[in-house]
Amino acid sequence: LVKMVDVTKTFQMGEVEVRALAGVSLDIFAGEMVVMVGPSGSGKTTILNIVGGLDSASSGDVYYRDIDLAGMSDRELTRYRRNEVGFVFQFYNLVPNLTALENVLVATELVREPMDAHEVLDLVGLADRADHFPAQLSGGEQQRVAIARAIAKNPELVLCDEPTGALDYRTGKSVLGLLVRLKRELGKTIVVITHNAEIGHIADRVVRLSSGAIVELVANERP
Amino acid sequence: LVKMVDVTKTFQMGEVEVRALAGVSLDIFAGEMVVMVGPSGSGKTTILNIVGGLDSASSGDVYYRDIDLAGMSDRELTRYRRNEVGFVFQFYNLVPNLTALENVLVATELVREPMDAHEVLDLVGLADRADHFPAQLSGGEQQRVAIARAIAKNPELVLCDEPTGALDYRTGKSVLGLLVRLKRELGKTIVVITHNAEIGHIADRVVRLSSGAIVELVANERP
Ligand SMILES: Nc1ncnc2c1ncn2[C@@H]1O[C@H](COP(=O)(O)OP(=O)(O)OP(=O)(O)O)[C@@H](O)[C@H]1O
Ligand SMILES: Nc1ncnc2c1ncn2[C@@H]1O[C@H](COP(=O)(O)OP(=O)(O)OP(=O)(O)O)[C@@H](O)[C@H]1O
Ligand SMILES: [Mg+2]
Ligand SMILES: [Mg+2]
């Protein structure tokens, strides 16, 4: 579904160059769950941002269904980000002056076949927090609104940057169960960045990053 | 050092009342490390905000060295927050247009005996990220700046809301080692909210929250 070929990413910091990605090649197959792990600063979020069309590679190619993202017009890239990708950000990025429900609704506005906003909030256990603003939600509640907003769009590709970072064991487990159901019942492709080792066990493959390069790729026998 | 007596906290949401804390009594002893655990939404951040003087109780009393926080003038409360408390926020709350180094420096400006800003950034492994702005830092790097900023003030009380949430195992372990050293070598009092079970093992006591009340309090034999 997604193909990264020899992707590098360099950030220019005045005179200093930060090599965030040092040549990453990775295939992501339709309907699989890939987990990305690695130390803080190793390039995981950078990869996800490039795959999700939020950032561009400095060199190398990224293909979605064999279409080169770098060759897309702004309109095509916008449609890609809106319809094909559901992104759960590491810092949630909720709209502060919209309620939890409104945050989910605005994300699904121009999408072809969204899920029902109330139902999705219920799926993440927040049915009774629909009218709270982000500032009136706990950390874990904000994270779950970010998750609900991404999956309500009903996208092909669900990209999750540390989706259980702020969640206790039980809530985290139920969120993971939700992601697994999206994969198995709806055939979605899920990429999860996590520091939580448990998530690795349920994935089809685990990709380990270090200093901007893939150092290990493990396929799980029976996830 | 800190005493909470029958503290409640209710948030008014139009016609609905959210009972975030339902009567919490807790003593925090000088020089100990207390870990707070519990499900998402159970009231952990609310307790920390009240102890840190960032929020007030709806009823009940909170004492720091036998002084009632509710009785403090605004000036005294400001001095309490600035000098006595180092706060690592669940969402880091870094100043977006200041570099990592500047974020640490502004926190130590009016403090009596701060640590050296460069040294503290080095302690959290970010010596070579001092000139990056928050937007140019990975999630885990931002979290470490938030930690550096809190401990650089050299406060009596270090309050940490999920300080390792965005960190991989090794980086998280080194941050915890740092907190333990602050306690053992400098006699600081540390309160840590976490979903990481490992942190519970190094604490002197573990407090478990559920629905705004303490449901369990365990003292570790040999932390
Ligand atoms: N806009 C930017 N400008 C400069 N450097 C950047 C920028 N964004 C990221 N970096 C650097 O690139 C490296 C990789 O960052 P990235 O966010 O991908 O790490 P990560 O693996 O997601 O880490 P974490 O687990 O801490 O979230 C980091 O060392 C970071 O400092
Ligand atoms: N300003 C507010 N207005 C209304 N309700 C609030 C407000 N702040 C918090 N709450 C509610 O109070 C409860 C406790 O919140 P708190 O942030 O203390 O939880 P927490 O234990 O830190 O959770 P998490 O592990 O998810 O961070 C939550 O159910 C939340 O929805
Ligand atoms: Mg990241
Ligand atoms: Mg919290």
Side-chain angles (χ1 to χ4, degrees):
Chain A
L1 191 71
V2 176
K3 202 174 178 58
M4 291 176 75
V5 183
D6 226 7
V7 168
T8 71
K9 180 68 182 180
T10 306
F11 292 105
Q12 204 65 38
M13 295 280 299
E15 307 225 332
V16 175
E17 270 192 358
V18 177
R19 299 204 69 200
L21 295 180
V24 171
S25 298
L26 179 67
D27 290 341
I28 298 168
F29 303 108
E32 76 166 335
M33 180 184 274
V34 176
V35 161
M36 260 203 299
V37 298
S40 172
S42 55
K44 307 178 295 295
T45 294
T46 304
I47 286 180
L48 217 68
N49 286 344
I50 289 172
V51 169
L54 295 170
D55 198 0
S56 57
S58 300
S59 75
D61 301 296
V62 187
Y63 302 92
Y64 176 75
R65 299 189 192 277
D66 298 325
I67 305 164
D68 191 340
L69 292 188
M72 284 187 181
S73 67
D74 279 349
R75 274 192 72 203
E76 290 172 314
L77 199 58
T78 300
R79 272 212 308 274
Y80 170 69
R81 281 195 300 257
R82 178 193 303 149
N83 288 310
E84 308 300 319
V85 182
F87 211 114
V88 183
F89 294 93
Q90 192 165 6
F91 294 108
Y92 320 156
N93 294 24
L94 301 180
V95 181
N97 49 348
L98 294 182
T99 63
L101 185 72
E102 290 164 343
N103 262 280
V104 176
L105 285 171
V106 297
T108 57
E109 240 162 51
L110 298 160
V111 170
R112 275 173 244 131
E113 298 184 12
M115 297 180 187
D116 175 74
H118 279 285
E119 283 186 28
V120 178
L121 280 177
D122 190 43
L123 277 176
V124 296
L126 291 179
D128 60 351
R129 288 285 181 270
D131 302 327
H132 283 233
F133 291 92
Q136 297 165 326
L137 293 170
S138 77
E141 290 166 346
Q142 292 182 35
Q143 188 160 42
R144 285 181 274 159
V145 175
I147 292 163
R149 181 179 61 169
I151 67 186
K153 294 188 349 171
N154 207 1
E156 206 47 57
L157 192 51
V158 186
L159 306 178
C160 311
D161 204 338
E162 313 262 6
T164 61
L167 302 178
D168 59 279
Y169 183 75
R170 265 191 52 203
T171 315
K173 219 159 149 55
S174 100
V175 160
L176 289 188
L178 184 54
L179 293 176
V180 170
R181 286 210 306 284
L182 290 176
K183 175 192 117 87
R184 288 193 188 149
E185 295 170 19
L186 299 180
K188 293 188 189 309
T189 307
I190 323 272
V191 183
V192 182
I193 293 172
T194 185
H195 294 303
N196 181 344
E198 287 232 2
I199 303 185
H201 302 152
I202 62 171
D204 294 300
R205 287 190 296 152
V206 181
V207 178
R208 177 174 300 279
L209 265 285
S210 180
S211 303
I214 294 178
V215 295
E216 189 186 43
L217 207 141
V218 179
N220 270 333
E221 280 302 316
R222 348 188 101 272
Chain B
L1 191 71
V2 175
K3 201 174 178 62
M4 291 176 75
V5 183
D6 226 5
V7 167
T8 71
K9 179 68 183 180
T10 306
F11 291 106
Q12 203 65 38
M13 295 280 300
E15 306 225 333
V16 175
E17 269 192 1
V18 177
R19 299 205 68 201
L21 295 180
V24 171
S25 297
L26 178 68
D27 289 342
I28 298 168
F29 304 108
E32 76 165 334
M33 180 184 274
V34 176
V35 162
M36 261 203 299
V37 297
S40 173
S42 54
K44 307 178 295 295
T45 294
T46 305
I47 285 179
L48 216 68
N49 286 344
I50 290 172
V51 167
L54 296 169
D55 197 0
S56 55
S58 301
S59 74
D61 300 296
V62 187
Y63 302 94
Y64 177 74
R65 301 189 192 275
D66 299 325
I67 305 165
D68 192 338
L69 292 189
M72 284 186 181
S73 66
D74 280 349
R75 276 192 72 204
E76 290 172 314
L77 200 59
T78 300
R79 273 212 307 273
Y80 170 69
R81 283 195 298 257
R82 178 192 304 147
N83 288 310
E84 308 301 318
V85 182
F87 211 114
V88 183
F89 294 93
Q90 191 165 5
F91 293 108
Y92 320 158
N93 294 24
L94 300 180
V95 180
N97 48 350
L98 294 182
T99 64
L101 184 72
E102 289 165 344
N103 262 281
V104 176
L105 285 170
V106 297
T108 57
E109 241 163 52
L110 298 159
V111 170
R112 277 175 241 130
E113 297 184 13
M115 297 181 187
D116 176 75
H118 278 286
E119 283 186 28
V120 178
L121 279 177
D122 190 43
L123 277 176
V124 295
L126 291 179
D128 61 351
R129 289 285 181 270
D131 302 327
H132 283 232
F133 290 94
Q136 298 166 326
L137 294 169
S138 77
E141 290 166 346
Q142 291 181 38
Q143 187 160 45
R144 284 181 276 159
V145 175
I147 292 162
R149 180 178 63 168
I151 66 186
K153 296 189 345 174
N154 206 1
E156 207 45 56
L157 192 51
V158 185
L159 307 178
C160 311
D161 204 337
E162 313 262 5
T164 62
L167 303 178
D168 58 279
Y169 183 75
R170 265 190 53 202
T171 316
K173 220 159 148 54
S174 100
V175 160
L176 289 188
L178 183 54
L179 293 176
V180 170
R181 284 210 307 283
L182 290 177
K183 175 191 116 87
R184 288 194 189 148
E185 294 169 22
L186 298 179
K188 293 191 191 306
T189 307
I190 323 272
V191 183
V192 182
I193 292 173
T194 185
H195 293 304
N196 182 344
E198 287 231 3
I199 304 183
H201 303 152
I202 63 172
D204 295 300
R205 288 190 296 151
V206 180
V207 178
R208 177 173 300 278
L209 266 286
S210 179
S211 303
I214 294 177
V215 294
E216 187 183 45
L217 207 139
V218 178
N220 272 334
E221 281 302 314
R222 347 187 104 267

